[in-house]
Amino acid sequence: MPIKEKLNNLSQQPGVYQMFDNNEQVIYIGKAKNLKKRVSSYFDKQHLDGKTRALVANIKNFEVIVTETETQALLLENELIKQYKPRYNILLKDAKSYPYIYITNDKHPRVSFYRGQKNKEYQFFGPYPSAHVVRDSLSLLKKIFKVRQCTNSVYRSRSRPCLEYQIGLCTAPCVGKISDENYEQDVAMMSLFLSGKGKETLDKVSDKMQQASIDLDFELAAHYRDQLIGLRTIQEQHTSQSMGDMDVVSIVEKDGVHAVEVMFVRSGKQIGQECIFPKHAKGKLSKEVLSAFLPLYYLGKDTPKQLLLSEKLIDKKLIASALNTKIIDTPQKDKRHFLKIATLTAEENLKQHLISRFTKRSQ
């Protein structure tokens, strides 16, 4: 399909766009609040910058991935740039390093903000969409887990507890106000939560809140309630949870044509996608098409540990057994947004496919 025609029918939702050259190599990746407006800007005007002109001259095609929010587009752009290393991204954009939260491997580990080259000996959690989000999360973590955030030079120089201890934001391991074992447990619980396995942490805080209510200690119950709210806030902002490997498969249909979007998620990050238009599927229900598609697509391949589907299949158990994977058709909140992104992208790809087919028939 000609680029101009493709632009005319492009989605106006947020997302990521990928520019391809004659060899079908990704040469540039960008994000957009409005995909149609942003992608069109490359072709609708003369660019003064020589590097941008060179990029546009080499664009022979483009693809888009629709997202729900600009934040998702921002993070996905970063991951795709790391994966493909497009030559024009290096020339046109500063290599933006996204912020992380990290935990050191000291005797009494420290939790803090981090941006830059990672130290392999430390635990890293993220990336987060902005430094502001990281600082807010650290502030909440300090109130909940009370793990030290001071620098090692300050930590080593202490002979008595600092103000953080006095106001209840640190347990002062520097001067032995907490045992090494208990401090280690606090660090482990915080690490567990930041790893995306926070259900256990949330359950424990919830139990404490309920017990405080039973004891009629409503002030303490309110304190635990605030902790729960804080933990859930961090969980929603934390965009790189350790969810393992999975493929997200969404199917949409229009005018008798089906589009199956397969989105690849590895270690909680979206790393790529593929859209397939199954043949001879006219008149079939989407769940029937998907049941036939999955074995054809995955048998003989390394199937991920989980398949997240947009349809509930009648032969779900049979297919899961044949592919040696777990099929999820009712996702929890931490996976639901991946399915929504796959569905939005499938709808966009199907729209472009139908327009292209109509154009060819009209010629």
Side-chain angles (χ1 to χ4, degrees):
M1 185 193 302
I3 284 181
K4 187 174 181 180
E5 185 177 344
K6 203 171 180 179
L7 289 170
N8 289 338
N9 299 284
L10 201 57
S11 170
Q12 297 190 43
Q13 292 181 261
V16 172
Y17 55 91
Q18 301 174 80
M19 305 298 195
F20 296 84
D21 63 11
N22 267 332
N23 299 317
E24 297 185 354
Q25 297 294 312
V26 179
I27 59 174
Y28 186 76
I29 294 170
K31 66 181 182 301
K33 179 179 180 180
N34 180 318
L35 281 167
K36 183 173 184 176
K37 184 177 180 180
R38 182 70 184 103
V39 178
S40 296
S41 71
Y42 286 93
F43 306 96
D44 290 348
K45 62 183 180 181
Q46 292 293 321
H47 298 277
L48 298 177
D49 182 74
K51 293 175 182 177
T52 306
R53 289 200 304 270
L55 164 64
V56 174
N58 282 285
I59 297 173
K60 301 304 175 186
N61 192 20
F62 69 85
E63 290 183 1
V64 300
I65 303 171
V66 181
T67 61
E68 294 180 75
T69 66
E70 289 180 77
T71 299
Q72 289 175 355
L74 177 77
L75 297 176
L76 177 57
E77 177 202 31
N78 181 51
E79 295 302 324
L80 291 176
I81 288 172
K82 288 179 182 176
Q83 179 185 353
Y84 291 107
K85 298 179 174 61
R87 67 178 187 269
Y88 284 103
N89 280 94
I90 296 171
L91 293 172
L92 294 179
K93 292 171 74 83
D94 294 325
K96 186 177 278 187
S97 175
Y98 288 89
Y100 288 77
I101 288 175
Y102 78 108
I103 300 175
T104 67
N105 60 348
D106 299 304
K107 177 183 177 182
H108 296 126
R110 170 195 180 212
V111 60
S112 190
F113 171 101
Y114 193 87
R115 192 197 293 269
Q117 192 68 31
K118 295 179 184 177
N119 183 330
K120 292 182 180 180
E121 296 181 358
Y122 296 167
Q123 296 181 66
F124 287 87
F125 308 92
Y128 288 80
S130 69
H132 175 72
V133 171
V134 172
R135 292 191 178 98
D136 282 352
S137 296
L138 285 172
S139 178
L140 288 167
L141 289 170
K142 185 188 292 189
K143 295 174 183 176
I144 297 164
F145 298 107
K146 307 185 192 306
V147 171
R148 76 177 182 96
Q149 297 186 17
C150 60
T151 63
N152 283 344
S153 58
V154 171
Y155 165 80
R156 286 192 291 265
S157 68
R158 299 306 306 179
S159 58
R160 59 181 182 178
C162 67
L163 180 62
E164 295 276 272
Y165 172 78
Q166 303 294 341
I167 60 176
L169 298 179
C170 180
T171 49
C174 54
V175 292
K177 291 293 184 180
I178 183 175
S179 69
D180 292 348
E181 181 181 357
N182 287 341
Y183 187 80
E184 191 175 307
Q185 289 175 0
D186 289 342
V187 173
M189 186 172 289
M190 181 177 64
S191 175
L192 185 70
F193 184 81
L194 286 173
S195 295
K197 302 173 184 177
K199 186 177 184 303
E200 181 180 345
T201 310
L202 289 167
D203 288 345
K204 287 183 178 179
V205 176
S206 180
D207 289 344
K208 289 181 179 179
M209 181 181 68
Q210 291 175 16
Q211 187 58 51
S213 296
I214 292 170
D215 296 339
L216 303 181
D217 191 341
F218 299 116
E219 184 176 349
L220 183 59
H223 171 73
Y224 288 132
R225 178 204 62 203
D226 293 342
Q227 282 192 345
L228 275 176
I229 293 171
L231 285 169
R232 284 170 180 155
T233 299
I234 298 173
Q235 193 173 49
E236 288 171 2
Q237 292 170 339
H238 189 233
T239 60
S240 185
Q241 299 173 351
S242 299
M243 298 165 60
D245 295 346
M246 70 174 179
D247 283 1
V248 183
V249 186
S250 180
I251 184 168
V252 296
E253 182 272 337
K254 186 176 182 181
D255 297 337
V257 180
H258 293 80
V260 181
E261 187 77 18
V262 183
M263 192 167 74
F264 313 118
V265 177
R266 300 295 180 264
S267 300
K269 297 183 179 68
Q270 182 180 339
I271 64 167
Q273 72 287 324
E274 180 179 14
C275 192
I276 300 98
F277 303 95
K279 296 179 180 180
H280 313 301
K282 188 172 182 178
K284 300 287 186 180
L285 296 175
S286 290
K287 61 183 178 181
E288 294 174 337
V289 176
L290 198 55
S291 287
F293 168 83
L294 291 172
L296 290 171
Y297 185 80
Y298 283 107
L299 283 174
K301 295 183 180 180
D302 291 330
T303 309
K305 296 177 182 178
Q306 300 178 86
L307 293 179
L308 177 56
L309 307 183
S310 62
E311 299 286 332
K312 296 183 185 295
L313 307 182
I314 296 175
D315 48 359
K316 170 182 172 180
K317 290 183 179 179
L318 177 63
I319 293 175
S321 176
L323 301 181
N324 192 28
T325 189
K326 179 182 179 181
I327 291 180
I328 302 170
D329 52 26
T330 309
Q332 295 182 348
K333 186 176 181 180
D334 61 347
K335 295 181 176 70
R336 209 173 295 152
H337 75 282
F338 283 119
L339 187 57
K340 195 160 188 179
I341 290 173
T343 301
L344 288 168
T345 304
E347 290 171 348
E348 176 67 17
N349 285 328
L350 179 57
K351 181 180 76 174
Q352 298 287 355
H353 177 76
L354 291 173
I355 292 169
S356 177
R357 194 173 69 166
F358 176 77
T359 303
K360 288 178 182 178
R361 287 177 177 175
S362 301
Q363 291 175 346

